[in-house]
Amino acid sequence: MQRRQLLGLAAASAATAALVGLTKTSWGRLSWPVDPFSLGVASGSPTSQSMVLWSRLGREALAQAGRTHEHIPVMWQLAHDPQFTQIVQQGQLTATPELGHSLHAEVADLSPARTYFYRFLTGSVSSPVGQTRTFPAPNQSPSRLRLAYASCQRWGDGFYSAYRDMREQDLDVVMFLGDYIYEYPASATRDVRPTTGGWVLSLDDYRDRYALHKSDPHLQAMHAACPWIVTWDDHEVQNDYAEIHAGFSGLPVPDFAQRRHSAYQAFYENMPVRYADFAQLLKRQGDQVQVYGSVPFGQLATLYTLDNRQYRHRQACTPGNLPGGGRVNPARCETLTQEHRTLLGQQQEAWLKRQFEQSQSNWNVLGQQSLLGPRNGGPTSQSISNDGWSGYPAARQRLIDAMRTTRLKNPVVLGGDVHQNWVGHILSNYAQPDSQLVGVEFCGTSITSRNRATEAELAKILHHSPYFLYANAEYRGYGIVDVTQHNMTTTLRAVRNIRDPHSEVMTLAKFIVDAGQSKVQTY
């Protein structure tokens, strides 16, 4: 036998011996009347050398075992094979009631561009086996990046058929762009499956709502298939909230800061994110966390995720001075165009520009929450939504200027929130339709969340907004982005009927962007 094979067998034998020894410890002696891993597993926050492995013990299993308030030891393992005969790393975590019995194994010292398998164990029970893959090293030149972008998955609005289809796409990573849960109660008139619980207000409410969403088998399977990069929008807290200002949905709470704190903690508990980014909040040493960040996929691309909720100014001129957003007439709202108003916050804006200045990647893909370009309804249209980028025009221009002045290579902006597909060009000045093309944008529809706009309304906007070349409000689904050194292909996948759990998923449209062109062409 070759030396490498002998070393591999020795490592596997040592890992097996270690596991046998650990079965005599506290985690190995536990018994469970029902599956404690009913919420599945996930991996995320990928780099070329590290990954976060996630799971969370289900509340029903804890209750039936009489361990709701106990600290539970859990084993995690990472291996080269799904049978776990070649274990790479393993360790023990403690699932605590203070953090919703969530589990975050932050694994380092991994090999770049390598597939791994992972699981969690407690007593005689094993979690589902997850598969993940590290990114290529920053100095490597991968031939391809294949990612999906998705957002807005209100439970009662439809079934997660999109994730069933996404599971078949052989992806490197999923970028989730916000509204993973909704804080709304059940709708008696439109829900196709029951939303348990009422308005989500407390920490336990948020935990239960995440558990409801994560009970879906297709969502679980997609989490277990590849790493996710996640950010949030408003419904992870409250519709249209802005920084420390409450939004407009449900019963008001006496302490919105505490509600936001609970929501941010629940996000950590239910996502494969790093403890350091949430440490101050979880230790109650501060109220802010860091969700935004960037990661290189070799030299091919850099992926950025932004946070447009935590640091933004309050929406301008909302009718009736109500909290949250609304439709406003720009001509009657001087506040709207004030230069200092920001959607990302000064610190995040400055960070992003520095990232652009330092980027050596051939493609630069920004995952953020909404539609960047303005939707012009024509000369008779006198209102815009003040909650998205059009409500912060100076901030939008600063973002575009940062791309342009740093000569950022091949900028691509991905978005969500609007429950419609939009495809278009990023202009240096939207007031001048013939101005320089700076980049391209693909704003995705929702996984399930419904949309009220008609195709006729979108056609009118397309007519008066020539920088957009495609829009669709009829279908729910997600997008796939295939990146190579020479071009990028975006495929819009659509669920024919979200009310049918067995619905067909089809290709709605397909587009290609050649490197160095910043121009979208129909494929």
Side-chain angles (χ1 to χ4, degrees), residues 93-113:
L93 299 169
T94 301
T96 69
E98 292 80 8
L99 290 179
H101 289 98
S102 61
L103 299 159
H104 294 77
E106 299 191 17
V107 189
D109 300 321
L110 301 178
S111 299

Side-chain angles (χ1 to χ4, degrees), residues 146-376:
R146 185 170 169 86
L147 68 85
Y149 60 98
S151 63
C152 305
Q153 51 187 32
R154 187 173 178 180
W155 177 264
D157 278 359
F159 295 98
Y160 290 170
S161 304
Y163 287 124
R164 183 193 70 226
D165 182 73
M166 192 187 292
R167 179 67 182 84
E168 305 301 318
Q169 299 300 329
D170 188 25
L171 300 171
D172 293 299
V173 66
V174 173
M175 295 186 76
F176 192 86
L177 305 179
D179 294 343
Y180 192 96
I181 63 167
Y182 279 69
E183 81 282 20
Y184 298 147
S187 170
T189 59
R190 73 179 198 177
D191 278 8
V192 300
R193 51 180 176 174
T195 301
T196 53
W199 286 102
V200 175
L201 302 172
S202 69
L203 178 56
D204 278 345
D205 292 340
Y206 286 108
R207 287 168 171 168
D208 287 344
R209 189 57 56 86
Y210 276 105
L212 176 66
H213 284 66
K214 287 179 175 290
S215 69
D216 185 274
H218 298 309
L219 178 57
Q220 283 194 21
M222 195 59 239
H223 270 300
C226 71
W228 285 42
I229 297 173
V230 295
T231 186
W232 54 33
D233 197 8
D234 52 342
H235 289 290
E236 285 87 354
V237 180
Q238 183 190 27
N239 179 49
D240 283 3
Y241 88 95
E243 194 200 27
I244 59 171
H245 304 287
F248 185 58
S249 68
L251 300 173
V253 297
D255 187 350
F256 178 74
Q258 179 56 52
R259 180 182 184 179
R260 193 184 83 156
H261 187 285
S262 297
Y264 285 7
Q265 177 173 331
F267 184 88
Y268 169 78
E269 292 175 357
N270 288 279
M271 295 292 168
V273 291
R274 300 186 186 282
Y275 179 82
D277 293 335
F278 289 76
Q280 288 191 356
L281 180 103
L282 299 176
K283 294 177 181 177
R284 292 197 168 271
Q285 296 174 348
D287 294 323
Q288 292 190 339
V289 303
Q290 183 164 327
V291 175
Y292 67 84
S294 68
V295 59
F297 191 87
Q299 296 179 345
L300 179 61
T302 295
L303 307 182
Y304 308 81
T305 46
L306 305 184
D307 175 357
N308 81 348
R309 284 291 160 187
Q310 191 176 184
Y311 315 108
R312 64 159 64 194
H313 282 99
R314 186 176 175 179
Q315 298 90 340
C317 304
T318 299
N321 199 32
L322 293 173
R327 304 291 300 184
V328 303
N329 185 341
R332 298 180 180 179
C333 180
E334 293 182 4
T335 305
L336 197 71
T337 56
Q338 290 176 348
E339 287 293 323
H340 73 281
R341 296 186 70 250
T342 177
L343 193 66
L344 303 179
Q346 293 181 356
Q347 181 175 330
Q348 188 177 185
E349 282 190 15
W351 166 84
L352 188 58
K353 187 174 182 180
R354 290 194 300 270
Q355 293 288 306
F356 290 172
E357 291 169 344
Q358 298 165 8
S359 174
Q360 300 296 316
S361 298
N362 194 43
W363 296 87
N364 289 273
V365 182
L366 282 74
Q368 50 84 55
Q369 289 74 9
S370 194
L371 181 67
L372 185 65
R375 289 176 287 185
N376 184 359

